[in-house]
């Protein structure tokens, strides 16, 4: 679409913001599925709290993404998304908001990593997914809080304080399960091995990552990979678990190619707004 | 014509809906009050990103100012610098303790290691022989503790 380099930078900023916002929303939604189903009350509350943090962070990011969209000239704005419902609204010249981005985009407009859309499966799989993502998120936000974009920096600074609790929670569970019974050890190791193939994508730079890193807005994600590995390794050591050895990595989410799980998740999450537009409760 | 002091006095009546003993001034979430020619601007900062109380607080600020005859009100959200319990007033911490919630015990700037825990005295019997049962409580700002001396469970307002 845009050939003007300034427009292109705006588009990359939008994509970069959506990558983060979608990670937060989808991860938050997945964790919220445990609400009312936790194994014990304290853990049910813990996951609901963590889910709420993610959804709160997603809101801040979507508000910013919506303001970026609304600032793009009306002709280019028509081509930002491939989702019919959202485009109908944009083509009418209406301004969009955080809810439109969450509820009116289809799976092929989402930019979250595949890791966060993977189903909860069981406690071990949920812990494994959170452990990989929280470890990444903590390091990513630690750098991002120095972003040259003041809105992004403020959201990162705020979120980091919350992600600190998330990382502690998932790391403690890795240790508890790994250094627990023979069965809990085996099941968390199996979950870690199974979800490992989704971790490569965390460190794969998209065009938006590259452009935003060059502007001082984003993060050089290749630089945090080593720290991530070391952090994961040290917790796994304490948990008497092994770092998975698989080398083949699945990718696509950041380029809007998703696993079938995202479609089902969105169908449930977006149903009300699609069936009853503008409904509030 | 209202002055800043009137506004702060009015805001002292707005409480945190989750922890009603605390006013929003005790919590330290009011960052700025400015009176312009035609409107009053209140800048607040959220405690936690997903705190559902923030929307209620914004509505209550409007209500209380309207009742003082101030009609033109703008509420701004400011994320940075991120809210910290270091901004909670001394009175606020005392009110929390009297209410049965253990207040933050240290400056949030001195952050804990990944697996370190805060030593929190029991708000009921004062014993230091307590343990954390969960870092997450009924609201984002609180964690759950148990006193091993008087055997009572209690909540702790996290150092954040």
């Amino acid at each position: 679409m845009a050939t003007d380099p300034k427009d292109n930078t705006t588009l990359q900023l939008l994509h970069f913001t959506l990558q983060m916002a979608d990670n937060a929303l989808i991860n938050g939604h997945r964790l919220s599925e445990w609400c009312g189903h936790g194994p014990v009350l304290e853990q049910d509350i813990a996951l609901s709290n963590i889910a709420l943090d993610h959804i709160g962070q997603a809101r801040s990011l979507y508000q910013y993404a919506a303001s970026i969209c609304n600032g793009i000239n009306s002709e280019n704005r028509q081509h930002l998304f491939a989702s019919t419902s959202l485009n109908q609204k944009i083509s009418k010249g209406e301004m969009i908001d955080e809810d439109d981005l969450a509820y009116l985009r289809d799976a092929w407009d989402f930019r979250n990593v595949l890791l966060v859309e993977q189903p909860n499966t069981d406690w071990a799989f949920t812990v494994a997914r959170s452990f990989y993502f929280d470890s990444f998120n903590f390091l990513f936000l630690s750098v991002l809080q120095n972003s040259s974009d003041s809105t992004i920096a403020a959201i990162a600074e705020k979120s980091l304080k919350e992600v600190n609790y998330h990382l502690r929670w998932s790391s403690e569970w890795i240790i508890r399960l790994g250094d627990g019974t023979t069965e809990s050890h085996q099941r968390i190791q199996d979950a870690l091995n199974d979800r490992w193939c989704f971790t490569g994508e965390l460190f794969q730079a998209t065009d938006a990552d590259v452009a935003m890193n060059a502007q001082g807005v984003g993060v050089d994600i290749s630089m945090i990979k080593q720290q991530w590995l070391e952090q994961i390794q040290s917790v796994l050591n304490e948990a008497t678990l092994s770092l998975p050895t698989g080398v083949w990595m699945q990718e696509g989410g950041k380029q809007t190619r998703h696993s079938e799980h995202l479609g089902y998740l969105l169908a449930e999450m977006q149903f009300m707004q699609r069936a009853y537009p503008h409904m509030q409760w | 014509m209202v002055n800043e002091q009137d506004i702060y006095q009015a805001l002292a009546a707005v409480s945190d809906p989750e922890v009603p003993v605390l006013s929003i001034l005790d919590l330290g979430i009011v960052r700025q009050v400015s009176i312009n020619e035609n409107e009053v601007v209140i800048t607040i900062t959220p405690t936690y990103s997903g705190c559902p109380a923030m929307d209620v607080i914004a509505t209550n600020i409007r209500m209380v100012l309207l009742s003082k005859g101030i009609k033109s009100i703008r509420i701004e959200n400011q994320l940075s610098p991120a809210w910290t319990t270091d901004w909670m007033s001394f009175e606020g911490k005392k009110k929390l303790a009297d209410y049965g919630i253990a207040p933050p015990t240290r400056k949030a700037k001195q952050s804990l290691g990944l697996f370190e825990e805060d030593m929190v005295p029991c708000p009921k019997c004062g014993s230091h022989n307590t343990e954390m049962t969960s870092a997450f409580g009924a609201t984002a700002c609180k964690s759950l503790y148990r006193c091993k001396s008087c055997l009572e469970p209690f909540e702790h307002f996290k150092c954040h």
Side-chain angles (χ1 to χ4, degrees):
Chain A
M1 42 158 282
T3 47
D4 178 357
K6 188 174 176 299
D7 280 352
N8 193 48
T9 302
T10 308
L11 184 68
Q12 301 301 356
L13 177 63
L14 173 65
H15 288 173
F16 180 72
T17 307
L18 285 174
Q19 279 174 205
M20 291 188 286
D22 293 344
N23 278 343
L25 179 67
I26 302 303
N27 196 14
H29 185 83
R30 271 289 182 234
L31 292 172
S32 79
E33 291 171 358
W34 274 106
C35 185
H37 302 276
V40 290
L41 185 60
E42 285 80 0
Q43 295 307 320
D44 196 296
I45 293 170
L47 281 183
S48 300
N49 264 280
I50 295 172
L52 200 57
D53 287 340
H54 284 296
I55 290 166
Q57 293 162 14
R59 282 192 64 184
S60 297
L61 289 162
Y62 283 133
Q63 283 165 11
Y64 187 45
S67 77
I68 298 168
C69 287
N70 293 333
I72 293 174
N73 74 48
S74 61
E75 195 200 327
N76 286 341
R77 217 185 307 151
Q78 317 275 334
H79 309 291
L80 293 176
F81 302 104
S83 302
T84 313
S85 301
L86 184 58
N87 281 345
Q88 276 174 353
K89 185 160 182 169
I90 292 173
S91 67
K92 279 190 234 161
E94 289 178 33
M95 295 289 122
I96 61 165
D97 64 17
E98 50 180 306
D99 288 331
D100 297 323
L101 288 171
Y103 294 124
L104 300 185
R105 278 182 307 146
D106 300 312
W108 46 81
D109 271 332
F110 274 77
R111 295 177 181 274
N112 57 281
V113 289
L114 298 172
L115 176 66
V116 296
E117 72 199 40
Q118 298 310 304
N120 291 333
T121 312
D122 64 20
W123 193 251
F125 276 77
T126 302
V127 167
R129 185 188 60 209
S130 281
F131 175 57
Y132 287 148
F133 186 75
D134 298 342
S135 306
F136 166 81
N137 209 18
F138 182 81
L139 295 169
F140 181 78
L141 294 171
S142 301
V143 181
L144 193 67
Q145 63 179 338
N146 301 316
S147 171
S148 62
D149 181 306
S150 61
T151 308
I152 299 265
I155 296 171
E157 179 195 352
K158 177 101 204 132
S159 304
L160 183 62
K161 297 181 79 168
E162 293 151 10
V163 171
N164 204 350
Y165 298 115
H166 308 167
L167 178 60
R168 179 186 281 247
W169 179 89
S170 52
S171 299
E172 281 175 354
W173 269 103
I174 290 285
I175 294 166
R176 179 178 294 203
L177 295 174
D179 199 15
T181 65
T182 312
E183 170 150 8
S184 72
H185 177 93
Q186 190 57 51
R187 289 178 71 171
I188 189 63
Q189 185 69 63
D190 289 347
L192 287 164
N193 294 348
D194 190 276
R195 293 299 189 244
W196 179 248
C197 70
F198 297 110
T199 58
E201 194 187 13
L202 292 168
F203 303 99
Q204 253 184 7
T206 58
D207 291 348
D209 286 318
V210 173
M212 288 302 107
N213 182 38
Q215 304 258 329
V217 171
V219 173
D220 182 354
I221 38 179
S222 65
M223 294 288 284
I224 54 177
K225 185 170 184 182
Q226 192 54 34
Q227 277 175 283
W228 179 82
L229 272 172
E230 282 164 17
Q231 186 166 320
I232 297 253
Q233 183 72 67
S234 83
V235 174
L236 292 182
N237 285 348
E238 173 134 13
T240 71
L241 293 163
S242 317
L243 191 73
T245 51
V247 288
W248 179 79
M249 290 289 170
Q250 182 66 275
E251 59 181 74
K254 290 165 94 172
Q255 276 97 23
T256 73
R257 296 191 309 276
H258 291 276
S259 61
E260 73 275 25
H261 305 298
L262 183 64
Y264 288 99
L265 183 155
L266 293 180
E268 185 173 321
M269 188 184 81
Q270 298 179 334
F271 168 77
M272 280 300 213
Q273 279 304 315
R274 300 294 187 114
Y276 305 98
H278 314 304
M279 182 208 164
Q280 291 193 322
W281 63 293
Chain B
M1 191 60 201
V2 288
N3 59 33
E4 229 173 85
Q5 206 183 346
D6 298 332
I7 308 259
Y8 274 108
Q9 226 162 40
L11 293 179
V14 179
S15 61
D16 173 357
E18 306 275 14
V19 189
V21 284
L22 292 183
S23 80
I24 57 174
L25 298 180
D26 292 328
L27 266 174
I29 63 173
V30 176
R31 302 313 299 157
Q32 206 188 348
V33 168
S34 56
I35 303 164
N36 302 338
E37 222 168 278
N38 42 17
E39 67 178 356
V40 169
V41 184
I42 313 284
T43 306
I44 56 175
T45 187
T47 51
Y48 286 74
S49 299
C51 181
M54 292 310 293
D55 289 337
V56 181
I57 287 172
T59 309
N60 290 346
I61 290 176
R62 277 180 196 283
M63 297 296 281
V64 85
L65 293 182
L66 274 171
S67 74
K68 302 280 175 200
I70 302 163
K71 294 201 180 85
S72 191
I73 305 151
R74 186 152 53 91
I75 295 170
E76 296 256 302
N77 244 307
Q78 181 188 317
L79 290 182
S80 178
W83 176 81
T84 160
T85 42
D86 296 350
W87 296 343
M88 189 184 280
S89 67
F90 178 77
E91 295 74 41
K93 288 180 184 162
K94 192 169 174 315
K95 284 187 211 168
L96 269 183
D98 292 344
Y99 191 61
I101 297 174
T105 47
R106 66 180 157 85
K107 290 277 181 206
K109 274 202 186 117
Q110 307 153 341
S111 64
L112 290 177
L114 187 56
F115 298 118
E116 277 182 284
E117 279 177 23
D118 275 316
M119 274 305 299
V120 180
C122 172
K124 298 195 175 72
C125 73
S127 166
H128 282 69
N129 186 17
T130 64
E131 64 179 354
M132 185 167 77
T133 45
S134 175
F136 303 92
T139 62
C141 52
K142 289 176 291 183
S143 53
L144 302 176
Y145 273 73
R146 156 167 69 203
C147 176
K148 292 194 275 190
S149 296
C150 73
L151 305 180
E152 289 292 326
F154 65 92
E155 290 181 304
H156 166 51
F157 205 104
K158 287 187 265 205
C159 305
H160 183 83

